[in-house]
Amino acid sequence: MDLNDELRSAAWRKAIKSGPNGGDCLEVAPLSGGRVGLRDTEAPEKAPFVVSASVWDAFIDGAKKGEFDF
């Protein structure tokens, strides 16, 4: 399966805190090879951003440590 087909059939999910109306958030989807797809809930028709497993893991680790807090 090529990446475009995989992205179309991916199991996209968003944070529970985004609420029932969709909210302003990102959606994520697990992809083959440990990659992760990211897309904007308000523009799901736009091409998603795809990152490797190591990039995703580093981002999650940083988020948990508060590195991106304002």
Side-chain angles (χ1 to χ4, degrees):
M1 175 183 304
D2 86 348
L3 180 59
N4 288 326
D5 290 336
E6 189 174 4
L7 289 166
R8 276 190 290 278
S9 64
W12 294 97
R13 64 180 191 228
K14 57 188 170 184
I16 294 168
K17 288 188 175 187
S18 68
N21 296 326
D24 300 324
C25 62
L26 292 174
E27 293 178 309
V28 298
L31 303 171
S32 63
R35 297 174 300 173
V36 176
L38 301 140
R39 70 180 183 185
D40 184 345
T41 344
E42 294 180 334
E45 73 284 353
K46 291 187 178 178
F49 190 68
V50 177
V51 297
S52 68
S54 62
V55 169
W56 181 250
D57 290 343
F59 172 76
I60 293 300
D61 183 60
K64 287 178 178 179
K65 291 177 180 174
E67 294 177 10
F68 307 111
D69 293 352
F70 292 102

